[in-house]
Each structure stands twice: as structure tokens, then as C-alpha cells.
Amino acid sequence: MIIKSYLLEQNIEHLNKFNIFLFYGENQGLKKQFKEKINKLNAGETLNLYQEEIIKNKNLLFNEISNKSLFDEKKNIIINEADDKILETIEEIEKLVKEEKVYIFSNNLDKKSKLRSFFEKNKQLGLTACYPDNEITIRKLISSRLKHLNGFSNEVLNTIIQATDNDRNKVINEIDKIISCFANQTIDKSKLISLLNL
């Protein structure tokens, strides 16, 4: 089942409807943000695996799903750098995943991808495309994070966009610097330009 990325950005709890979820696309910054939100959403153990590890040792994933932790009720399993090669394994574990949450992160999957198609057609599974940001999505991101600061304006917004070239990773790093620098004071244009290395 397809869930639009902006819906997940607004409310990450949509993920709780699914035990297995696929994120795919070129937007590395957005996928990084989703990983951070997943860690906050489902408290418990988070295990990071790579597709190559799972393909070399199929029992690895099965063991992690069947081994229950004594301390944490929930377990988040993140599978990185996935592609169509993982599909057979996902089909095998689909019915086994109960309490755990499995999140699969992939680069771009075209429409012919068997993995993408499997997730799109199955209502028990979720997927989100992480397409590259455009100026509109970056503007919304910056505004939502900085609108509470004194001195935030369209000029400040445009300066940040100029410095980051619509790259979400850069935008998030610059936002964090701006918040820590101007948390208790008005944003000063010359300090901002210096902070952004323009």
C-alpha cells in the first residue's frame, strides 16, 4: 500500500499500521530523517542490517525475528541498501513478523522492480517513495523548523536555500546550526551569512 512521503512527514505514526515497510528513492536526506523518526517512534532495540549480510546468511534475519528480547518488547529491524534480491526473503518472513517492525531502505526502484510491485500490491505492507526535494518542499521544511525564531523572514529563507541548493541533508545541518546560534536572539543577516559560509 502506497503512503505519500508528506503524510509520513506530518505523522510518522502511519507506520504503525504495517509490520514491514519499504522506503525507496534518491532522497537520502529524507530517508535519513525517516530512520531518525523510526527510532523515536518505536522505543526498543534497533538493529541495522544490510541486504548483503542477509543474502550471505539467510538465517540472520529469521533468527532476529524469532529471538525475543528480555528487555525490549519491540524490535526495529532496518535493512539497508536493498533491491529486488531481497524479495524472496521478504516473502518468507512476511507471516513471521508479529511484534517486530521491519523497515527496508532502498535506492531508486523503477516501475518494473519486483520488490516495489510486491509492496504496492499488498495491503498488509507499506511503501513510500522518497523523491528528490524541490524548492517548495525545502521552503516548507525550513519554515516549519525556523518560524519560531525572532527575525525569521523570506530573506533568511532565501539565504538558506541559496546556501544549500535544495539538498535536504545540508538544509537540516544548517537549520540545526541556526537554531543553536540564534535560539535566544534575533537572526542577524551578517552572522547568518558567516554561519552558512556564503
Side-chain angles (χ1 to χ4, degrees), residues 1-45:
M1 177 183 279
I2 299 170
I3 307 291
K4 299 287 186 188
S5 61
Y6 74 88
L7 292 174
L8 280 182
E9 283 186 273
Q10 291 169 359
N11 185 2
I12 196 68
E13 292 189 11
H14 287 298
L15 286 180
N16 285 332
K17 298 174 190 170
F18 308 97
N19 287 339
I20 306 177
F21 203 94
L22 171 66
F23 296 89
Y24 73 93
E26 303 164 28
N27 193 331
Q28 302 304 325
L30 182 56
K31 289 189 287 188
K32 180 181 173 190
Q33 273 189 297
F34 283 139
K35 284 181 186 178
E36 291 167 0
K37 288 181 177 186
I38 286 166
N39 288 330
K40 291 177 186 170
L41 174 68
N42 297 321
E45 180 186 357

Side-chain angles (χ1 to χ4, degrees), residues 20 22 56 60 192:
I20 306 177
L22 171 66
K56 285 180 184 171
L60 178 65
L192 178 67

Side-chain angles (χ1 to χ4, degrees), residues 106 159 194:
S106 176
T159 304
S194 172

Side-chain angles (χ1 to χ4, degrees), residues 38-53:
I38 286 166
N39 288 330
K40 291 177 186 170
L41 174 68
N42 297 321
E45 180 186 357
T46 298
L47 180 67
N48 271 291
L49 299 173
Y50 288 84
Q51 174 179 281
E52 280 303 307
E53 295 174 278

Side-chain angles (χ1 to χ4, degrees), residues 37-133:
K37 288 181 177 186
I38 286 166
N39 288 330
K40 291 177 186 170
L41 174 68
N42 297 321
E45 180 186 357
T46 298
L47 180 67
N48 271 291
L49 299 173
Y50 288 84
Q51 174 179 281
E52 280 303 307
E53 295 174 278
I54 295 166
I55 288 172
K56 285 180 184 171
N57 179 6
K58 273 198 170 187
N59 290 331
L60 178 65
L61 187 57
F62 289 98
N63 290 341
E64 289 300 333
I65 291 169
S66 59
N67 290 341
K68 306 296 180 205
S69 172
L70 297 173
F71 306 105
D72 296 319
E73 282 182 32
K74 300 212 175 191
K75 184 187 287 188
N76 300 317
I77 300 170
I78 295 175
I79 301 172
N80 297 289
E81 298 177 11
D83 59 27
D84 285 350
K85 294 177 196 162
I86 197 94
L87 177 59
E88 184 181 320
T89 305
I90 300 304
E91 289 172 328
E92 291 174 19
I93 66 160
E94 182 186 357
K95 301 290 186 232
L96 300 175
V97 177
K98 302 282 186 233
E99 298 298 319
E100 307 77 22
K101 299 286 186 184
V102 177
Y103 302 102
I104 303 162
F105 286 85
S106 176
N107 288 323
N108 208 20
L109 297 173
D110 63 26
K111 291 187 178 190
K112 294 176 184 174
S113 164
K114 292 177 183 175
L115 182 64
R116 177 177 164 181
S117 178
F118 179 70
F119 275 80
E120 286 175 344
K121 291 174 183 172
N122 190 328
K123 292 189 177 185
Q124 307 306 312
L125 307 176
L127 84 153
T128 289
C130 299
Y131 295 121
D133 287 301

